[in-house]
Amino acid sequence: MKIHFSLDTKDIEIPRGSTLHVMGNYNGFQVSDENMMIPSENGSSYSTTLTLKQGFYNYKYAVVHPDGRIDYGFVAGNNWQTENEYTVLAYFREIGGRYDRLIGKGSANSRNITN
């Protein structure tokens, strides 16, 4: 499936000589020519189209500077210290049943979750 990525960069100034990439768990968060984003003619956005299998993907935008340094926090910032608490409730409804029954509960903290 062709997935189109577009990023509004009106409020972001990409450094001269740097490139913008969209990378994710679909490619091991690697920089490549395939995931490099192309600036619009007026420079107000960047976009690219990738062919991906249907599914759920984690991705991020990263700036690659001319010296090869990758800045993962340039576009969205770096909030590594942010901590979140998650609770998941699993329900089940029997065939013909009239209510959902709680069959499981799980909790996690962002400090101990990995992809």
Side-chain angles (χ1 to χ4, degrees), residues 2-50:
K2 298 224 181 263
I3 307 298
H4 183 73
F5 292 88
S6 179
L7 179 66
D8 180 355
T9 55
K10 285 182 236 167
D11 299 328
I12 304 168
E13 189 171 334
I14 305 299
R16 183 175 293 258
S18 298
T19 57
L20 182 65
H21 294 257
V22 59
M23 55 187 70
N25 57 357
Y26 58 87
N27 76 340
F29 291 93
Q30 299 298 311
V31 173
S32 70
D33 289 341
E34 292 175 351
N35 62 3
M36 184 170 70
M37 301 186 75
I38 308 301
S40 63
E41 286 186 24
N42 64 6
S44 66
S45 66
Y46 281 70
S47 63
T48 192
T49 301
L50 300 174

Side-chain angles (χ1 to χ4, degrees), residues 40-106:
S40 63
E41 286 186 24
N42 64 6
S44 66
S45 66
Y46 281 70
S47 63
T48 192
T49 301
L50 300 174
T51 303
L52 301 172
K53 292 181 180 181
Q54 288 183 338
F56 173 82
Y57 295 96
N58 290 323
Y59 67 92
K60 64 176 93 179
Y61 298 104
V63 169
V64 179
H65 296 281
D67 62 3
R69 186 173 37 92
I70 301 173
D71 190 346
Y72 295 104
F74 189 89
V75 173
N78 186 348
N79 300 304
W80 65 268
Q81 70 277 17
T82 303
E83 185 174 356
N84 295 303
E85 194 72 37
Y86 300 96
T87 301
V88 177
L89 303 174
Y91 292 91
F92 174 75
R93 180 181 293 192
E94 293 184 25
I95 297 175
R98 301 176 117 192
Y99 65 92
D100 294 331
R101 183 169 40 128
L102 180 66
I103 61 169
K105 177 185 174 205

